Amino acid sequence: MISPCPHLARLPVYEPGRPIEEVARELGLDPARIVKLASNENPLGPSPKAVAAMRKAAARAHLYPDGNGFLLRRTIAAKHRLPMEQVVLANGSNEIIEFLGHAFLSPGDDIVVSRYAFAIYAIVAHLFRARVNEAPARAYGHNLEAMRAAITPRTRLVFVANPNNPTGTAVPPAALARFLRAMPAHALAVVDEAYQEFLDRPLDTPRLLAEKPNLVVMRTFSKAHGLAGLRIGYGLASPAVAAALQKVRQPFNANLVAQNAARAALGDAAHLRATIRAVAEGRALLHAAFRARKLEFVPSHANFILVRVGDGRKIFEALLRRGVIVRPMDGYRLPEWIRVTVGARAENRAFLKSLDAALADAA
Ligand SMILES: *Cc1c(COP(=O)(O)O)cnc(C)c1O
């Protein structure tokens, strides 16, 4: 009997946020009453301008998209003041991580990540039979000195998520700039900026590309731009690295509707500002609520918060029965914690009410 490659048997599994419809079916709940705070989606939804662009593009869905992504790449390039050749589109920025594996990882190579790093980095390393060097964390965030020390002669990729998921921590801009400038030439620094829009003082990482060719910056439309369902993100890289990433992608990886919606989303600064404001307000409310309940939490720089609730899996399940979906964190070796996305006002209130009930039941 034909069997898959042996390394797949030991592949770590990614446990995504539970979909609303699935939870509703399983628990016999009304999907309209379920609150999903599990995947760091935008509480305001997509930009109305993006929705209009999607409707318009839908009528042309029988046509293949521009495989070169000209209009969207030109818009992104202008935003970052880079030539278009340095922009690579992806079916969600997660796909860039996979491209990096295809283009840079051979069996026996290694990648460097921080403890509590985003799970996909290690999964992609395993797919390409590379090893994972995990540097210890500092206060649940990246310890850049430890990450530097974890780089070996076989290190090809060094991942820094800023802010980091699932911890919500951020590295100070000056420290990140120093770390990137000191990156040895044989390794590629990959800065995952999925939540960059929520930072108060972001480092202008795309600008560093001019002096550091061994840098990749990843961005997505899934979070602050509210287009997670469309699967669209991008990478910024030196011309040589970008050319390698272009080689390994499928010709139409960024679909027609997504390309048009993403371009419209970039043109809706007001929606982005409203999103950032709503997230800052909801995050402050949840921080204060956790403080009032004497629950330990990691102060967040993103649109989700890691909070210590006792038995995380049990509280996750108790919340689920009450129609609130969050994320258990045992997969990240944080069994006492859950991660909750900052939602709209009513969602945050519903979450806190259910959390109180779940904690009372568990006591
Ligand atoms: C959500 C997220 C992404 C982006 O995922 P998409 O594939 O663009 O939806 C990337 N990195 C991290 C750390 C994330 O949390």
Side-chain angles (χ1 to χ4, degrees):
M1 179 52 190
I2 181 83
S3 56
C5 300
H7 66 281
L8 292 188
R10 282 170 289 105
L11 192 72
V13 284
Y14 181 74
E15 185 186 352
R18 301 278 313 269
I20 289 174
E21 296 293 338
E22 183 184 281
V23 170
R25 260 194 314 274
E26 206 174 285
L27 299 174
L29 300 172
D30 174 5
R33 299 198 48 186
I34 289 185
V35 172
K36 185 185 180 211
L37 299 174
S39 302
N40 308 336
E41 292 139 336
N42 190 321
L44 305 185
S47 140
K49 290 187 177 172
V51 174
M54 285 182 235
R55 285 190 206 286
K56 210 167 144 212
R60 287 181 291 122
H62 61 298
L63 300 173
Y64 279 97
D66 174 4
N68 189 31
F70 180 83
L71 293 175
L72 178 57
R73 284 172 68 221
R74 191 179 61 179
T75 306
I76 292 168
K79 169 183 158 78
H80 298 296
R81 297 193 186 84
L82 288 169
M84 233 180 88
E85 58 169 340
Q86 294 189 243
V87 180
V88 182
L89 298 183
N91 187 17
S93 64
N94 269 289
E95 201 188 27
I96 295 286
I97 307 171
E98 190 186 331
F99 294 165
L100 288 165
H102 278 295
F104 293 97
L105 294 180
S106 301
D109 286 342
D110 60 59
I111 73 163
V112 170
V113 297
S114 172
R115 176 140 199 200
Y116 313 125
F118 188 43
I120 302 292
Y121 311 145
I123 292 175
V124 168
H126 276 92
L127 268 181
F128 292 94
R129 288 182 282 165
R131 279 192 295 263
V132 179
N133 297 341
E134 188 185 88
R138 182 158 51 207
Y140 297 101
H142 290 62
N143 176 341
L144 294 178
E145 292 78 47
M147 290 189 72
R148 180 68 235 265
I151 296 174
T152 74
R154 298 267 347 228
T155 299
R156 304 276 285 165
L157 305 171
V158 179
F159 286 95
V160 177
N162 194 47
N164 184 51
N165 175 16
T167 58
T169 52
V171 289
L176 180 58
R178 238 179 295 123
F179 176 78
L180 296 176
R181 289 199 169 100
M183 184 60 57
H186 73 276
L188 196 53
V190 184
V191 185
D192 184 342
E193 298 191 331
Y195 304 95
Q196 186 269 354
E197 293 86 351
F198 301 113
L199 285 174
D200 289 332
R201 293 179 307 137
L203 177 68
D204 188 356
T205 39
R207 211 167 61 100
L208 273 180
L209 273 167
E211 56 181 289
K212 287 302 286 186
N214 56 333
L215 168 66
V216 172
V217 177
M218 301 191 332
R219 294 279 182 100
T220 182
F221 290 94
S222 296
K223 309 290 164 51
H225 288 293
L227 299 177
L230 293 185
R231 315 304 306 123
I232 182 87
Y234 60 93
L236 305 171
S238 69
V241 170
L245 300 180
Q246 294 285 14
K247 265 191 190 165
V248 300
R249 72 176 179 87
Q250 296 284 321
F252 303 110
N253 65 319
N255 74 68
L256 177 86
V257 176
Q259 285 190 36
N260 283 281
R263 202 150 52 85
L266 285 176
D268 194 347
H271 186 74
L272 181 61
R273 270 198 308 275
T275 298
I276 292 166
R277 208 179 313 118
V279 165
E281 185 192 304
R283 189 172 58 193
L285 176 123
L286 290 176
H287 280 166
F290 295 150
R291 226 173 264 126
R293 288 161 175 77
K294 300 201 161 42
L295 293 172
E296 185 183 351
F297 64 94
V298 181
S300 172
H301 298 266
N303 66 338
F304 54 85
I305 308 173
L306 190 65
V307 56
R308 192 173 197 169
V309 292
D311 185 336
R313 181 60 67 169
K314 205 166 135 193
I315 296 294
F316 158 73
E317 276 159 11
L319 287 171
L320 207 58
R321 285 193 298 273
R322 291 178 164 81
V324 178
I325 315 175
V326 298
R327 280 293 259 284
M329 286 285 117
D330 41 354
Y332 282 92
R333 287 170 289 158
L334 292 164
E336 299 185 352
W337 301 71
I338 57 171
R339 192 198 69 194
V340 60
T341 301
V342 177
R345 273 186 206 140
E347 293 176 318
N348 296 333
R349 272 198 300 270
F351 160 70
L352 287 171
K353 194 169 159 217
S354 296
L355 178 66
D356 286 339
L359 288 171
D361 285 354

